[in-house]
Amino acid sequence: MAKILFVVSGADHWTLADGTAHPTGFWAEEAVAPYRAFTDAGHEVVVATPGGVVPTVDRGSLAPDVNGGQEGADAMAAGLEAFEELRRPVALEDVDPDAYDAVYYPGGHGPMEDLAVDPVSGRLLARVLASGKPLGVVCHGPAALLATTGPDGRSVFAGYRLTGFTNAEETQVGFADKAKWLLQDRLVALGADFQEGEPWAPFVITDRNLITGQNPASSVPLAAEMLNRLG
């Protein structure tokens, strides 16, 4: 049995370019689907958030239109209710990454607000990357990579092939012209080799121990790849 750390945003809003606070948090599917995959395989999941706050789900991620209808929305809500660890997170500041066999970052717009500028998360990411343990990051979760710098002042993720929520997808959900910055642009500026698949289709990139997914639909194949790595 492996012990897997979920690092989840503690933000309940995303500050837009005009200063307004857009309600958000983590995206349900990106937390629930991998949690189910990992626990069904017999692994233990621990949730950590900045300050140990109970994370907020983006209510939009529970809507029928993003879950294939009302039946899917009901199933997602039930999956979220069963994810008890979300209601008792540990403080990210207290986490020893060496105590875990893998680390996973779900998305939602929340990470754009807090994890993108969280030095504790940045140091954890650098340690896990260097350890060779599976590191899974999906959708807007790669915003957390922006908080990483190495001894030379460059990100430890510079040169890595990876993906994340694309400019095209952000445009399609109506936020590209409202955001202070776009994730794809920042990851390119970080020095990453950003790979882009079709909008909304599952797309996973693996480079060494880093496994990234483009969007919510990528969370299931990303979890499967992490399980393969865990044996």
Side-chain angles (χ1 to χ4, degrees):
M1 182 181 75
K3 194 173 182 181
I4 303 170
L5 180 70
F6 275 45
V7 180
V8 182
S9 168
D12 62 4
H13 71 280
W14 175 33
T15 305
L16 302 179
D18 65 0
T20 59
H22 171 69
T24 188
F26 68 89
W27 197 257
E29 181 181 357
E30 297 165 22
V32 170
Y35 173 78
R36 185 180 295 127
F38 296 147
T39 55
D40 284 353
H43 301 307
E44 177 186 358
V45 168
V46 175
V47 172
T49 62
V53 302
V54 175
T56 298
V57 66
D58 188 315
R59 303 306 300 180
S61 66
L62 299 176
D65 63 338
V66 297
N67 287 291
Q70 189 59 52
E71 186 176 339
D74 292 343
M76 187 60 65
L80 193 62
E81 182 65 25
F83 193 164
E84 296 179 359
E85 291 85 348
L86 281 170
R87 297 189 286 278
R88 43 183 173 82
V90 300
L92 186 58
E93 297 80 357
D94 296 335
V95 166
D96 176 7
D98 294 339
Y100 296 90
D101 301 292
V103 174
Y104 171 69
Y105 278 66
H109 280 114
M112 302 276 280
E113 184 74 19
D114 62 353
L115 297 179
V117 293
D118 189 313
V120 174
S121 171
R123 289 192 293 271
L124 183 145
L125 283 165
R127 283 182 62 181
V128 177
L129 189 70
S131 75
K133 296 176 182 178
L135 173 58
V137 196
V138 73
C139 201
H140 287 93
L145 276 52
L146 303 177
T148 62
T149 53
D152 59 357
R154 297 175 68 243
S155 171
V156 294
F157 291 94
Y160 273 77
R161 295 174 62 249
L162 53 79
T163 191
F165 204 66
T166 64
N167 290 355
E169 288 165 323
E170 204 73 84
T171 298
Q172 290 177 25
V173 295
F175 283 111
D177 60 351
K178 299 176 182 176
K180 291 181 179 178
W181 47 269
L182 298 178
L183 179 59
Q184 179 176 345
D185 292 346
R186 284 291 179 90
L187 290 172
V188 170
L190 192 76
D193 180 5
F194 191 92
Q195 307 286 308
E196 182 175 357
E198 289 297 316
W200 311 112
F203 187 67
V204 174
I205 292 289
T206 299
D207 187 347
R208 288 155 278 188
N209 60 315
L210 177 65
I211 308 157
T212 52
Q214 179 172 312
N215 46 38
S218 306
S219 58
V220 169
L222 186 152
E225 178 61 26
M226 290 185 70
L227 286 170
N228 287 339
R229 296 295 186 97
L230 289 168

